[in-house]
Amino acid sequence: MATDSQATHPADSHDWIRVRGARENNLKDVHVEIPKRRLTVFTGVSGSGKSSLVFGTIAAESQRLINETYSAFIQGFMPTMARPDVDVLEGLTTAIIVDQERIGANPRSTVGTVTDANAMLRILYSRLGKPHIGSPQAFSFNVATISGAGAVTFERGGRQVKERREFSILGGMCPRCEGLGRVSEFDLSALYDENLSLNEGALKIPGYSMDGWYGRIFRGCGFFDPDKPIRKFTKRELSDLLYKEPTKIKVDGINVTYEGLIPRLQKSFLSKDREAMQPHVRAFVDRAVTFGVCPDCDGTRLNETARSSKIKGLSIADVSAMQILDLAEWLRDIDEPSVAPLLANLQRTLDAFVKIGLGYLSLDRPSGTLSGGEAQRVKMIRHLGSPLTDVTYVFDEPTAGLHPHDIQRMNDLLRSLRDKGNTVLVVEHKPQIIEIADHVVDLGPGAGTAGGEVVFEGTVEGLRASGTLTGRHLDYRASLKPSVRKPTGVLEVRGANTHNLKDVDVDIPLGVLVVVTGVAGSGKSSLIHGSVAGREGVVAVDQTPIKGSRRSNPATYTGLLDPIRKAFAKANGVKPALFSANSEGACPTCNGAGVIYADLALMAGVAVPCEECEGRRFQASVLELTFGGRNIAEVLAMSVDEALEFFSSGESKVPAARTILERLADVGLGYLTLGQPLTTLSGGERQRLKLATHMGSDGGVYILDEPTSGLHLADVEHLLRLLDRLVDSGKSVIVIEHHQAVMAHADWIIDLGPGPGHDGGQIVFEGTPADLVAARSTLTGEHLAAYVGAA
C-alpha cells in the first residue's frame, strides 16, 4: 500500500519543465516539455532559436525569479532582468549557466584568482611558509605594502579624545610593476609631433583632440604655452606635459584635475587588457608602448618578501608557475594536520582541473588569454564537486575548443552531473554529444525568421529517423579529397617558443588550405597567433566576441550603411547623416532607438515602441526621402538576400553595398535583416559576421581560429565551400580546428602534440590528410581514421 501511495505522490507530477508560448527573438509560440534529472540536448542550425529558448527563456526566468527572493537593497546591486516573452513556464529549478563568455579581460585576473585556488594557496603559505612573513595578503600581488600614521579624534565618556595611531599593511605586490608582471615604456614620438604646438594638433593620442575636453584642459592649465612647438619646451614644461602628478586647476571657471600624459594613459589605456580595447586604441598602444617583463619580480608580480617564504623549497610564485597537473602531485606530498581541510579543498580544485582536461594550465596564466572553450571549462570547475542536486545546469557548446580525444571526457562529466540528480541542458552541434542525450529538442527548420519552431522532440533514434536537417546530417561523415592542391610557396617559422612551444621550425604551405590541429593545449594557437598572425599581409579572424550595443546592427558593423547612406543622400540632394538613426536623422522622441526605455529602479525596465516613429527610428521627414522606391527604414528591414537583389540592378544599383552583401551571403547569413540589433545574434552568427568583414581585407593569408564553433553540421559544409572559394581566388587559408570534416577537407595538416602543456609544443605530423590517416601515428590520426571509416 505504501508503495502505491509513493507512486502517486503529488510531488512526482513535477518531473517536467514545461514551456508554453515562448516568443523570445525569433521563437514562434514554442511549446516544449523537458524531462527533469535527464540530459537534454538542443540542436538546430545556427540562428534557429536554441539560445533564445534555453538561455533567453528558461535560464533567464529562473535567474530572474531567484534574484527576486533577495532584499530590495541586494537587488539594487544586481542586473535587472525583464521577464522573457513567454506565456507559461512551469517546473523551473535553480539554473546555473556555464557559457562561453570570455572571463573578464582584467590584467590582474589569472586562472588562480578566478577559481579561488590562489586564495587557498595564500592561506597555505601564510600558515606553513618559512620564514613566516605575515597574513595571506602578504602573498597577494593585488595588495600593496603601505604604512602611515596620524592623529585620530573620537568620543569617549562624553568628551573628545585625540590619539596618535599608526597602521601598516604588508602586501605582496611588486612595487615596480604594481602587480602586473610587466613594465611599459612609451615611445614619445608616437605620443606627439615635437615640431607642432598643442594648438596645431601635436598630440597623436586617440580622443585627445584640441576641440574636446582634454584640449580645453591642456590649453588652460597654464603650465606651458599651447602655441609653442613642443621641441622648444623647457625641461620643466616637458615634465609637466608628460609626468605631472594629479593637480587641481580651474579652466573656464570649472574645477578640473590636470595630470601628465603618461600617468593618464597608464590609468586609461594600460589598465585594460589589450584584447578588450577598441581596434584603433589597440593599434595606438601597439605603436606607442613596448611591454617587457618586470626586471624586479621577473614577471611573477610578487615582491621579494613574498617570494622569500617557501614550502619544501618552493615559493608561491614557483608553484603558481607550475603546470596544474604537477602542482596537484606536489601538493599530495604535504602532510600537515593543522591545515588538513584547506589542503583537501585545494587538492579537490586542482584535481578538477586535471579531470576536465585543463591540467596543462598554470595558476598564473592571465584569464584573458584563455580561449572560449577553456574559459567555459574553468567555470565548470566550481560545479564539479558541488553537493547541490536538483539544479538545472545550462551549457553552451561545452565541446568548443576540444579535440575529439577530449570529448569523451566531457561526456563523462555531463553524465556525472546528471547522475547526481540534476537537469542538464546542452546547446550543441557535435554528434558525439547529441548521441549521449536522454532527450533531444531540434529547432528549425531554418535560421532567423525561417526558424524558431520545434521540428523534433524525442530520443536520438527518433531524431535519426525524423528527416529533419539535423537528423539527416547526424551520421554524415566527410570523406578525404581524392586529390589535394599543390602549394605556391611556403611561410617559414623558425625557433617558435611562445608559451609551451619547443623551438618549433615549420614551413607552412601557401596557396592551399592548411589545417593546424592537436589536443587542447598542445600549442596550436601559440604557433599561429604567436609566429604568423603579426606578419604583413596576414588577416587573423580570432575567437574574440564582437562587441555591439542594441544600436549596432549588421549594416553598421560591416560598414554597409556608409554606401547606402551616400546613395540615399545623392539621390535626394541632402546630407548622408540624415540617414543614420544614431545621428541627425534620428527620431527626436526615442533618439533613434525605436523604443522608449522606462527605468523602474529595482524592477525590470520596460521598453515600449516609440509612438512618434512607430519603432522605425527615423524622423518622419527622413522617411519621405526614398531611393529606388524604398525609404531607409524599409531598406534596414530587408534581409541580406533581399538587399542583395535590390542593390544589384536597376536604378538602385550600389556596387559598394553589393560587395559587402555578397560576403554576408557567402558566409551563410542571407537570412539576417540589415537592421537587426547585434545583441540578438547567436554566437555562430556573430563569428560569421566577423568573418564576412575580414573577407574584404587586402591580406593574402587568412587565419581562422575554430570557425566551426557555433555551426550546425549542415553549416560546416557551407563553410568548407567558402574556404575552397577563398583558396581558389588565390588566398592562403590557415585554419586552427578540431572538426574532423575540416581536417578531411584540408590540403595539408600540421599536427601538434603529443599531449597538452609541457607534454606538447612539438610538430608530431606534417603532410596530407590521407598520409595522416594511413600512418595513424598520432591521436588526431587515429580519430580522423575512425571518422572517415578507414579500414
Side-chain angles (χ1 to χ4, degrees), residues 81 129 175 221 249 273 275 372 422 427 451 484 540 560 632 669 682 775:
M81 299 168 127
C221 68
I249 61 170
D273 189 81
E275 302 303 321
N422 298 305
V427 173
V484 294
L560 172 65
I632 186 69
L669 295 178
S682 70

Side-chain angles (χ1 to χ4, degrees), residues 17-195:
I17 296 173
R18 293 183 174 85
V19 181
R20 294 275 181 274
R23 291 177 295 275
E24 275 297 300
N25 296 328
N26 65 332
L27 296 178
K28 297 169 182 170
D29 269 326
V30 164
H31 300 315
V32 68
E33 292 194 350
I34 301 158
K36 287 187 186 176
R37 296 175 287 283
R38 297 292 183 272
L39 174 60
T40 301
V41 175
F42 294 78
T43 63
V45 295
S46 177
S48 61
K50 304 181 298 298
S51 295
S52 298
L53 176 59
V54 180
F55 292 95
T57 304
I58 298 170
E61 179 65 354
S62 171
Q63 290 208 313
R64 187 185 74 85
L65 292 172
I66 288 167
N67 288 358
E68 284 188 354
T69 65
Y70 295 109
S71 68
F73 175 75
I74 301 279
Q75 286 184 54
F77 296 98
M78 293 175 144
T80 52
M81 299 168 127
R83 186 183 187 279
D85 189 1
V86 60
D87 293 336
V88 177
L89 271 172
E90 291 177 351
L92 291 180
T93 66
T94 306
I96 294 175
I97 298 174
V98 189
D99 59 20
Q100 282 192 45
E101 285 295 314
R102 292 293 183 98
I103 297 170
N106 185 325
R108 296 188 176 281
S109 173
T110 65
V111 169
T113 60
V114 298
T115 56
D116 296 334
N118 261 28
M120 290 184 272
L121 262 185
R122 291 199 300 269
I123 298 170
L124 186 68
Y125 268 82
S126 72
R127 300 291 188 272
L128 303 183
K130 296 284 188 288
H132 174 74
I133 62 168
S135 68
Q137 66 187 15
F139 297 93
S140 171
F141 53 75
N142 288 327
V143 178
T145 297
I146 54 173
S147 60
V152 294
T153 305
F154 55 93
E155 202 163 291
R156 181 190 288 163
R159 62 193 182 90
Q160 284 202 334
V161 179
K162 190 178 278 192
E163 283 184 10
R164 178 180 167 78
R165 295 277 174 90
E166 294 183 2
F167 76 94
S168 66
I169 297 172
L170 180 64
M173 178 188 289
C174 168
R176 172 83 178 265
C177 63
E178 297 185 347
L180 293 175
R182 58 198 178 123
V183 286
S184 53
E185 292 180 10
F186 285 86
D187 175 3
L188 299 184
S189 66
L191 301 187
Y192 57 77
D193 183 341
E194 64 173 10
N195 295 311

Side-chain angles (χ1 to χ4, degrees), residues 508-510 512-516 727 733-736 746-750:
I508 301 172
L510 296 174
V512 297
L513 176 59
V514 178
V515 172
V516 180
V727 175
V733 180
I734 303 169
V735 183
I736 301 170
D747 298 309
W748 192 259
I749 284 183
I750 298 172

